[in-house]
Amino acid sequence: TVDSLIQLGAGFDSDLNAIENIYLYGSLHRKSREEIKKRIPAILDFAELEEFKTTPLKYYSSGMYARLGFSVAIDRDPDILLVDEVLA
């Protein structure tokens, strides 16, 4: 499979919390609800946002938003990963 990393947080909704945005992002990448549910603890742990998982993203600092975006974005296992200037 080929996947891309274009923009961190692409598709996030600032009115939704971290868990809801993880489900939203996962569904955009055709992951099943069960797959997403299994990955939530690892995503939140990597982003170090467990205690803020039910806080809407509009209250996150830019660093928190970026950590969640990066954590969700790298939670995949493609054969080829295309990376744009997202990490610049």
Side-chain angles (χ1 to χ4, degrees), residues 75-88:
D75 185 56
R76 50 184 85 177
D77 190 25
D79 296 320
I80 298 171
L81 178 62
L82 304 174
V83 180
D84 193 8
E85 297 171 353
V86 68
L87 301 176

Side-chain angles (χ1 to χ4, degrees), residues 66-78:
R67 287 197 325 259
L68 180 62
F70 185 73
S71 184
V72 170
I74 65 166
D75 185 56
R76 50 184 85 177
D77 190 25

Side-chain angles (χ1 to χ4, degrees), residues 1-8 10 25 29 72-74 76 78 80-84 86:
T1 60
V2 177
D3 211 342
S4 62
L5 205 76
I6 306 284
Q7 178 182 355
L8 297 180
Y25 193 87
H29 288 274
V72 170
I74 65 166
R76 50 184 85 177
I80 298 171
L81 178 62
L82 304 174
V83 180
D84 193 8
V86 68

Side-chain angles (χ1 to χ4, degrees), residues 10 28 31 36 38 52 60-61 64 83 87-88:
L28 293 173
K31 290 186 179 181
I36 298 166
K38 284 189 244 177
F52 302 100
Y60 279 26
S61 69
M64 293 166 73
V83 180
L87 301 176

Side-chain angles (χ1 to χ4, degrees), residues 47-67:
E48 299 179 339
L49 292 171
E50 178 64 34
E51 67 182 278
F52 302 100
K53 65 185 176 188
T54 58
T55 303
L57 267 59
K58 64 184 169 188
Y59 299 115
Y60 279 26
S61 69
S62 58
M64 293 166 73
Y65 191 94
R67 287 197 325 259

